[in-house]
Amino acid sequence: MTPWTLRRLTVPASLDAPDSWLLRGAVAVEHAAHRDAWGNLDLARTEHEVLAILRHQRYLRRERFVAVTGPATDGAPDPARVVGSAALSLPVDNNTHSAHLEISVRPGARRHGIGSALHDAAVAVARAAGRTTLTTSTDQRSEPAPGPASIAPSTGSGLVRSTDDGVRFALAHGFSLEQVTRFSVLDVPLDPSFLAGQHASAQAAAGNAYRIVTWDDPCPDEWVDQLAELETRMSTDAPGGGLDLHEDRWDADRVRATEAELRERGMRHSVAAAVHVPTGTLAAFSAFKRPAWTDEFVHQHDTLVLAEHRGRRLGMLVKTANLQRLAVEQPGARRIGTWNAEENAHMLGINVALGFRPAGGSGEWQARIV
Ligand SMILES: CC(C)(COP(=O)(O)OP(=O)(O)OC[C@H]1O[C@@H](n2cnc3c(N)ncnc32)[C@H](O)[C@@H]1OP(=O)(O)O)[C@@H](O)C(=O)NCCC(=O)NCCS
């Protein structure tokens, strides 16, 4: 293995700037790891997107480290010299005891200590920022069968493969498995009459007290405070397994900042929400993130029904409303991907009823770094 050194990434002015090769190299490493884990780049971020994300640090401070082969200073500005990448996120307002770390090493450069060096550099920054809990994720293309080659999380729901590189690495670095999430894919377009039938039966169960509103960002001013409340509830009401993470408060400013970030990333944020007519408030919402660089793949993002409105099939109502709209607006869409905690039986039930099929998932890990 060629000698390598670590560098802390500074945010380049653009993707053409002289120092941008480090960012472009980091993204290439992440793509190589994605291809290795998933066989495609549906879930990967583009260079453009990573740069846009790095420009937005009001709610998440972001630090990046790269492992570079060749001379420690200077040397050719060649993205291919980057063999490892670490992205550390430090929440600014809430959960300030925590930090999240994602590490990728080129498959051909693994088992040479690069991942460990990136981990140690990120932990030093997290500790200096007063963080005591570090979380990380590992990807898997399929869930293993129960047996000696699998590990269950503290929740007891789902399994990860104990022989995967990321799992071995997480265990070697003192992380414990606190949750398993399922990645599911829905092949679209769906049969319009099936979708209309699901929507009509959900509307019948919900009754006349609820009506659907839809928007692409920006969220209309009249709903922005309530969307912030729904986003806050996402952080408390979606199952968090054994992860030591607490309420993450949103307000209208954060909704607007997130919309700006998504726009710069090239993501459309398409929302369907259920209005509770008697009170004129939002009771439920479901959102897609639609990348501009692919017509085929869509992210099914947050879905939430406020606790006081549950049990009326509003989850199915808002999801089917958004799917019906997508079928009209983006007929080229072929796959919708979504993530759910394995213990989230209600959300998984809706997704399975719509035809989402299991397509892998993640292990969610946590370590104390005091
Ligand atoms: C996880 C990952 C970042 C590790 O990078 P790496 O540079 O190979 O890691 P290191 O060489 O520092 O490995 C450190 C230790 O982790 C463990 N480990 C890592 N990969 C392993 C494997 N395939 N089999 C057994 N142990 C492994 C070992 O204890 C290893 O120490 P050793 O080589 O002295 O036995 C890399 O495999 C990767 O990019 N995987 C995909 C992304 C991912 O899962 N990231 C999340 C990490 S929590």
Side-chain angles (χ1 to χ4, degrees):
M1 175 80 202
T2 333
W4 48 270
T5 50
L6 287 197
R7 299 193 191 182
R8 200 165 175 165
L9 197 99
T10 50
V11 183
S14 75
L15 291 174
D16 302 319
D19 60 345
S20 69
W21 66 278
L22 290 168
L23 185 149
R24 287 184 280 122
V27 173
V29 168
E30 288 164 16
H31 286 192
H34 266 266
R35 275 203 191 84
D36 182 59
W38 296 104
N40 64 38
L41 293 181
D42 279 352
L43 298 170
R45 292 174 177 145
T46 62
E47 295 170 346
H48 171 85
E49 214 185 346
V50 171
L51 179 58
I53 289 170
L54 286 172
R55 285 181 175 149
H56 286 265
Q57 307 223 10
R58 163 63 186 87
Y59 297 96
L60 275 183
R61 178 182 150 202
R62 312 190 199 252
E63 296 282 347
R64 278 198 165 243
F65 302 88
V66 285
V68 182
T69 58
T73 52
D74 299 328
D78 179 1
R81 289 177 55 204
V82 180
V83 287
S85 163
L88 180 71
S89 310
L90 304 147
V92 172
D93 293 338
N94 307 297
N95 288 305
T96 53
H97 65 291
S98 73
H100 184 75
L101 179 60
E102 290 169 17
I103 307 180
S104 309
V105 174
R106 271 194 186 281
R110 292 183 184 169
R111 300 303 296 278
H112 294 285
I114 296 172
S116 299
L118 289 164
H119 167 272
D120 294 351
V123 166
V125 169
R127 277 204 186 110
R131 311 299 154 128
T132 52
T133 293
L134 184 65
T135 57
T136 191
S137 300
T138 53
D139 292 339
Q140 57 185 8
R141 216 190 289 192
S142 63
E143 196 173 302
S150 67
I151 305 174
S154 55
T155 58
S157 298
L159 295 167
V160 298
R161 193 170 287 97
S162 59
T163 50
D164 280 355
D165 288 352
V167 169
R168 301 296 286 262
F169 180 87
L171 290 170
H173 288 83
F175 287 87
S176 56
L177 183 62
E178 301 295 350
Q179 190 175 47
V180 171
T181 69
R182 187 189 303 178
F183 179 61
S184 310
V185 172
L186 179 67
D187 296 313
V188 288
L190 290 174
D191 173 2
S193 60
F194 165 77
L195 194 50
Q198 291 285 351
H199 187 71
S201 75
Q203 184 70 68
N208 294 332
Y210 297 93
R211 74 180 169 87
I212 292 291
V213 288
T214 62
W215 67 81
D216 274 3
D217 70 89
C219 170
D221 285 339
E222 66 173 309
W223 303 126
V224 71
D225 291 326
Q226 290 176 50
L227 180 61
E229 181 57 27
L230 290 164
E231 295 282 13
T232 301
R233 294 275 71 86
M234 276 303 300
S235 69
T236 55
D237 293 14
L243 296 167
D244 177 28
L245 297 175
H246 312 289
E247 184 179 81
D248 185 20
R249 275 222 74 76
W250 284 60
D251 59 14
D253 287 345
R254 184 162 172 190
V255 170
R256 295 302 184 214
T258 303
E259 287 175 343
E261 179 184 324
L262 286 171
R263 239 184 339 266
E264 284 171 41
R265 284 168 63 178
M267 287 271 194
R268 274 168 81 183
H269 191 232
S270 303
V271 177
V275 180
H276 183 232
V277 178
T279 55
T281 57
L282 296 187
F285 83 125
S286 185
F288 289 134
K289 291 198 297 189
R290 296 157 66 183
W293 54 93
T294 168
D295 203 29
E296 285 191 6
F297 185 76
V298 172
H299 299 268
Q300 167 64 65
H301 195 48
D302 298 336
T303 299
L304 177 115
V305 180
L306 286 180
E308 56 273 34
H309 294 281
R310 291 193 188 140
R312 296 180 177 84
R313 304 206 58 209
L314 294 181
M316 181 62 95
L317 188 71
V318 290
K319 276 212 157 172
T320 49
N322 231 14
L323 283 165
Q324 286 182 315
R325 184 173 161 226
L326 185 76
V328 174
E329 292 179 5
Q330 195 172 323
R334 290 293 170 266
R335 296 180 302 289
I336 301 177
T338 194
W339 296 88
N340 306 107
E342 274 292 353
E343 66 272 28
N344 195 350
H346 288 112
M347 192 75 263
L348 285 169
I350 293 171
N351 288 341
V352 169
L354 284 168
F356 277 91
R357 57 182 162 80
S362 71
E364 301 299 325
W365 302 80
Q366 177 170 278
R368 297 276 296 161
I369 54 166
V370 278

